[in-house]
Amino acid sequence: DQQVKQNSPSLSVQEGRISILNCDYTNSMFDYFLWYKKYPAEGPTFLISISSIKDKNEDGRFTVFLNKSAKHLSLHIVPSQPGDSAVYFCAASAEASGGSNYKLTFGKGTLLTVNP
Amino acid sequence: NAGVTQTPKFQVLKTGQSMTLQCAQDMNHEYMSWYRQDPGMGLRLIHYSVGAGITDQGEVPNGYNVSRSTTEDFPLRLLSAAPSQTSVYFCASSYDRFRETQYFGPGTRLLVL
């Protein structure tokens, strides 16, 4: 049973437009969520995170929104740039029940392509 | 700071062979983890360690052993490789268990024939 779902395997957007990547989760114990970015032949790199006590977190062009009632989070990239083209992974942990950043549950990833 | 390093970058094994994937970090991180990435499966946690001498199982531990004799190193051992272990393996480390990101190594691509 997949606890973190990224239902869109790929997304293509034009440079300068908004990219919206979605993630759903089923485990109500998850209370900390992260987005990682991965380029080919490299390890994932941390992008942005959000705690369940917040509904929004911003870092430059990247904003993550969390809707706890819907068990849904999304990553917005504005404006999108060609260098943003990568696989984006949504991840979650259940810190309150003993989980932590070293015990993450990942989604399958979404390949974002930003066209010039 | 080299960060998290992994060796080898690529390895081909025959079914039944054993090997050790090396992982080292120079950031004095207590927490280290091993993940595997398979097509269409995302990353799945194999084993993790919260400090030297302490390890525990993750989501998919079968067929793998780990040990943590030093803070810096966290090797992953395949005792008898199987084709189902063909994957890309990532090692990660973090300083603090809460609110701290994990730093990932570049990965080891393993092919088991």
Side-chain angles (χ1 to χ4, degrees), chain A residues 14 18 27 32 41 46 68 72 83 91 114:
Chain A
Q14 284 299 120
I18 184 172
N27 188 342
Y32 189 51
F46 170 75
K68 289 188 289 294
H72 176 84
V114 180

Side-chain angles (χ1 to χ4, degrees), chain A residues 32 36 38 41-44 46 51 89 95 98-104 106-108, chain B residues 31 33 35 37 40 42-43 45 48 50 90 94 96-102 104-105:
Chain A
Y32 189 51
Y36 279 83
K38 186 183 178 306
E42 293 184 12
F46 170 75
S51 164
F89 289 100
E95 294 187 7
S100 185
N101 62 12
Y102 56 85
K103 289 171 64 178
L104 297 178
F106 283 83
K108 294 182 179 181
Chain B
Y31 303 93
S33 308
Y35 294 86
Q37 184 192 7
L43 286 87
L45 181 65
Y48 64 94
V50 301
F90 291 100
S94 61
D96 189 275
R97 65 176 288 183
F98 294 116
R99 306 299 187 260
E100 178 76 12
T101 71
Q102 288 190 87
F104 281 81

